[in-house]
Amino acid sequence: MHWWASPFPLPLCTDLGFPPLNGLLWPLLLLFLWYCYRMGSDLPAPGRAHPGGKHKSGARRFMMLSRGGGSSGPGGSETASGSEASGVERAAPCISAATGEDDDPDGREYLTPVPRRPLFPVQASAAGRKLYAALQEYAKRYGWVGMGRIHKGLREQVRLSDHSTIQRPHLFFLPDVPSVPFFPRDAHRHDIELLEAQYPLILAEFQAVYQRGVDSKLGWSGPKGQTGFPLYSAGVCMAGNCRSCPYTYRALLSLRTFISSNSLGGAGFVLLGPGVSLGGSYGPTNARLRCHLGLQTPPLCELVVGGEPQRWSEGHCLLVDDSFLHTISHKGPPEDGPRAIFSVDLWHPNVAAAERQALDFIFNPDL
């Protein structure tokens, strides 16, 4: 018996008077399945036209159009493309990129950066150009990552006079930095608590150097009425003064945010004599905060920053953004003696570590 012969003949054909088709049933079935397979495999793939230039069926063409395989004009007909001659129809991308092909036949125009404005203002001062050159040198060594705000700030140096009269640093303004005249203790809790814990030792060392006499030969500097005994001045350690105050110097080195490596930072004892009032002035930058530890604070002394008045308190710290307009006054009688504070410059908490490193390089005291 052949493999296609059925042991159970079908009575349908015999009942109708036709010869039995048992032997032809299986070959016909296989032929039908083969035909269906070939028909399915001959359909064009998505995004590709039939070799004849038209899709085999309207349903397939509809699917191609819905996937972006072709486009329709106002009259409903497909628009011709330059690729029809090769028999291949390009599928439209899901996301198109503007490459400027109309102006650049090679399609490379988008690779060429087009600066909307000069890299650095032509009218910049010599000092501004020097700072920008220092930033470029830093970027060559360490890269431009994280330098966006500094680069923007240096480019806008020529417009410092356009800033609000309330806050106008005279040397460098770091943009997009949140600022208020007085910052809460939480901004630098570790450093504030450390300084206040060392208050008795710092006060004792201040009294020792003050009793020796306020004289420039003994390390004091500044105009009459407001003199200082600096331990750090514009990023430079005053070795002789630091030897006179070893505990205070050690406390400075223990601070996490003390600006000790560039000309924006300093630390030391500052005196304000009775009857002295200092008019409105601005600090050099908003990238720092100035911390005042009260050592000797008569009752009629006042600090006004950005229109907000505050008073010092012995053994406690004030965090001040001195890039705001500020005034200082001591309206007490001579017998009250001078107001004395320990002033320390700390990084603004919003200045990132990479920006601090770059500013240390740009405002290096040796440059």
Side-chain angles (χ1 to χ4, degrees):
M1 179 181 295
H2 296 287
W3 62 271
W4 63 79
S6 174
F8 304 101
L10 298 176
L12 179 62
C13 294
T14 57
D15 294 341
L16 297 176
F18 291 98
L21 299 178
N22 295 359
L24 297 177
L25 180 60
W26 288 105
L28 289 175
L29 180 60
L30 293 175
L31 182 62
F32 176 78
L33 293 177
W34 175 81
Y35 175 78
C36 293
Y37 169 77
R38 288 299 303 270
M39 289 294 294
S41 62
D42 286 344
L43 290 175
R48 182 176 300 175
H50 190 268
K54 297 181 180 179
H55 296 293
K56 291 200 66 153
S57 66
R60 191 65 179 173
R61 179 183 175 193
F62 174 81
M63 182 170 63
M64 288 294 297
L65 291 176
S66 64
R67 291 189 180 183
S71 58
S72 299
S77 61
E78 292 184 12
T79 57
S81 64
S83 61
E84 286 184 355
S86 61
V88 178
E89 183 181 357
R90 295 181 181 177
C94 296
I95 301 177
S96 60
T99 58
E101 293 180 355
D102 296 338
D103 300 329
D104 185 10
D106 297 332
R108 294 191 300 268
E109 183 179 358
Y110 72 100
L111 297 176
T112 304
V114 181
R116 297 182 180 178
R117 49 187 176 179
L119 293 178
F120 199 71
V122 179
Q123 65 272 28
S125 63
R129 293 183 176 276
K130 182 179 179 181
L131 294 176
Y132 189 74
L135 174 61
Q136 289 180 313
E137 180 63 27
Y138 175 86
K140 289 180 182 178
R141 300 185 186 185
Y142 307 104
W144 286 97
V145 177
M147 298 298 103
R149 293 196 301 183
I150 296 180
H151 183 265
K152 180 180 178 182
L154 291 178
R155 292 187 71 259
E156 296 178 350
Q157 286 293 100
V158 295
R159 293 158 44 188
L160 280 180
S161 58
D162 297 338
H163 284 268
S164 169
T165 55
I166 297 179
Q167 185 184 26
R168 186 183 294 173
H170 60 78
L171 183 58
F172 174 69
F173 181 81
L174 185 64
D176 305 323
V177 172
S179 298
V180 291
F182 294 96
F183 273 71
R185 295 169 55 89
D186 290 341
H188 285 305
R189 177 172 295 275
H190 172 271
D191 291 352
I192 287 178
E193 290 180 350
L194 190 149
L195 287 173
E196 292 178 349
Q198 298 296 318
Y199 164 72
L201 295 175
I202 296 174
L203 176 63
E205 290 186 338
F206 159 72
Q207 291 173 342
V209 297
Y210 178 70
Q211 290 172 2
R212 289 188 316 198
V214 179
D215 194 311
S216 59
K217 297 180 181 179
L218 299 175
W220 292 86
S221 60
K224 186 178 180 180
Q226 187 186 28
T227 54
F229 187 83
L231 303 185
Y232 275 81
S233 178
V236 178
C237 177
M238 314 302 291
N241 291 356
C242 289
R243 283 193 291 267
S244 300
C245 306
Y247 290 103
T248 305
Y249 174 68
R250 192 175 305 166
L252 275 178
L253 298 183
S254 301
L255 301 179
R256 295 176 179 174
T257 58
F258 172 48
I259 304 177
S260 60
S261 302
N262 66 60
S263 58
L264 302 177
F269 303 118
V270 183
L271 301 179
L272 183 68
V276 176
S277 294
L278 301 179
S281 60
Y282 303 94
T285 180
N286 66 326
R288 76 177 190 186
L289 298 181
R290 180 155 280 186
C291 179
H292 290 176
L293 174 64
L295 301 177
Q296 181 176 311
T297 57
L300 296 180
C301 297
E302 188 178 55
L303 169 65
V304 181
V305 181
E308 299 182 17
Q310 287 282 356
R311 295 180 182 272
W312 294 276
S313 178
E314 295 178 359
H316 298 280
C317 291
L318 280 178
L319 272 181
V320 183
D321 186 345
D322 68 339
S323 65
F324 285 85
L325 180 67
H326 57 276
T327 59
I328 303 173
S329 62
H330 181 355
K331 299 179 181 180
E335 54 267 22
D336 285 348
R339 180 231 60 183
I341 61 171
F342 181 57
S343 176
V344 185
D345 292 327
L346 307 176
W347 285 110
H348 191 290
N350 192 254
V351 179
E355 294 174 319
R356 297 177 185 182
Q357 180 179 339
L359 292 175
D360 280 343
F361 184 91
I362 296 170
F363 292 98
N364 190 315
D366 298 331
L367 294 180

